[in-house]
Amino acid sequence: MNQEIGKKLLSILKVEQVKKDEPMKIHTTFRVGGPASYFVTPETEEEVAKVIEVCTQENVPYYIVGNGSNLLVSDQGYEGVIIQIYKQMNRVEITENEIHAQAGALLSMIANRAMEAELTGFEFAAGIPGTLGGACVMNAGAYGGEMKDVLETVTVLTRDGDVKTLTKDELELGYRTSVIAKKDYIVLSAVIRLENWKKEEIKAVMDDLKEKRITKQPLEYPSAGSTFKRPGGIFRGKADTGCRTSWISGRRSAGV
């Protein structure tokens, strides 16, 4: 592991934002995973860009995580830099029918904020255990709703270090895929557009979906979330294909 990387990370971030040999098991919903050489928590888009620039210059691998759902980490850990975009970048603002949120905002938090603002269309995401960034990457969905139904724009960081805002059409949102995933972009923030509705009606829908999750899924146990893609028109019990839980091994990272 490049010994200079730690010094350079500390030149960008505060001491409390840089952790060495951090156990990944405390950062994943599956509660497994060995140590990451460095685990950093940037607080701004600029810090994210600078950390990635340093990793690229030093030829050190890096991997982006949110709250660690749909993520399985090897017991060997990760020889590189884990960049967590989560609680330090989770601001949510509402302007009329639009929700402007940073990538680290939890989907459940956004859904609750939408309900309080009497905005409908995001109820499907209330029980998905993930962040907005990950949801945009994979066009997350549940119970008939998907991110493609509500996203207006997504602001990303490209591999070249450029910040660009993509429109709904440019996102190429499909079943558990997007141009973000295809081009390895990093989500920084997004704009969600919803419709007006009565708060009590929105709450009723969210309560109903919550009940369905509780009765069908063992939520009291550590979980990697939904693991398999479902072929069109076929339920998972009939045929499984395309594992979509990300895997981080000891020497490299790969989304599978």
Side-chain angles (χ1 to χ4, degrees):
M1 183 68 184
N2 189 326
Q3 297 300 315
E4 289 297 313
I5 190 69
K7 295 178 182 178
K8 291 195 173 184
L9 289 173
L10 287 171
S11 72
I12 299 169
L13 307 171
K14 297 187 288 290
V15 173
E16 58 268 27
Q17 291 176 266
V18 181
K19 296 181 180 180
K20 194 174 187 304
D21 297 325
E22 178 75 354
M24 287 302 296
K25 65 182 180 181
I26 65 176
H27 297 289
T28 64
T29 56
F30 223 5
R31 296 294 179 260
V32 297
S37 299
Y38 287 95
F39 185 92
V40 301
T41 53
E43 297 178 348
T44 65
E45 296 179 1
E46 292 75 15
E47 287 183 350
V48 174
K50 288 179 180 178
V51 168
I52 291 174
E53 182 181 8
V54 164
C55 291
T56 302
Q57 291 175 347
E58 296 297 319
N59 197 30
V60 172
Y62 63 87
Y63 197 92
I64 308 295
V65 303
N67 72 326
S69 60
N70 279 12
L71 185 65
L72 186 60
V73 183
S74 166
D75 287 339
Q76 297 177 39
Y78 182 68
E79 191 173 331
V81 179
I82 295 291
I83 304 171
Q84 187 188 56
I85 300 178
Y86 186 23
K87 295 179 180 179
Q88 292 76 17
M89 292 181 61
N90 68 350
R91 187 175 67 252
V92 176
E93 297 177 353
I94 299 177
T95 304
E96 296 181 349
N97 287 59
E98 290 187 345
I99 296 179
H100 298 250
Q102 289 184 300
L106 286 171
L107 297 178
S108 57
M109 179 177 73
I110 296 174
N112 282 317
R113 290 287 300 275
M115 178 185 70
E116 293 297 328
E118 297 194 309
L119 294 175
T120 185
F122 208 70
E123 293 89 334
F124 74 90
I128 299 177
T131 59
L132 177 61
C136 292
V137 172
M138 65 178 294
N139 183 30
Y143 298 106
E146 293 180 286
M147 293 301 295
K148 70 179 180 63
D149 301 326
V150 297
L151 281 175
E152 279 290 295
T153 61
V154 177
T155 298
V156 300
L157 181 68
T158 71
R159 291 182 65 87
D160 295 326
D162 298 321
V163 175
K164 61 190 304 184
T165 298
L166 304 173
T167 64
K168 181 182 293 188
D169 291 338
E170 292 174 319
L171 288 170
E172 299 178 15
L173 297 167
Y175 180 56
R176 304 303 174 261
T177 188
S178 69
V179 71
I180 304 170
K182 295 172 185 175
K183 295 191 175 182
D184 202 21
Y185 291 157
I186 297 170
V187 178
L188 299 174
S189 62
V191 176
I192 297 166
R193 186 167 182 82
L194 304 175
E195 302 296 329
N196 295 108
W197 205 23
K198 295 180 180 179
K199 178 180 176 180
E200 57 268 26
E201 298 290 343
I202 297 172
K203 186 177 186 303
V205 172
M206 289 172 61
D207 288 344
D208 179 58
L209 295 182
K210 180 179 179 180
E211 181 63 25
K212 288 180 179 178
R213 282 187 180 275
I214 291 174
T215 56
K216 294 180 179 180
Q217 300 177 22
L219 301 179
E220 69 273 21
Y221 297 109
S223 170
S226 181
T227 303
F228 298 98
K229 284 185 177 180
R230 188 176 71 185
I234 303 177
F235 287 100
R236 188 178 63 207
K238 294 183 178 180
D240 287 328
T241 180
C243 175
R244 59 189 177 91
T245 294
S246 295
W247 162 257
I248 301 181
S249 70
R251 298 294 174 182
R252 61 184 179 87
S253 63
V256 294

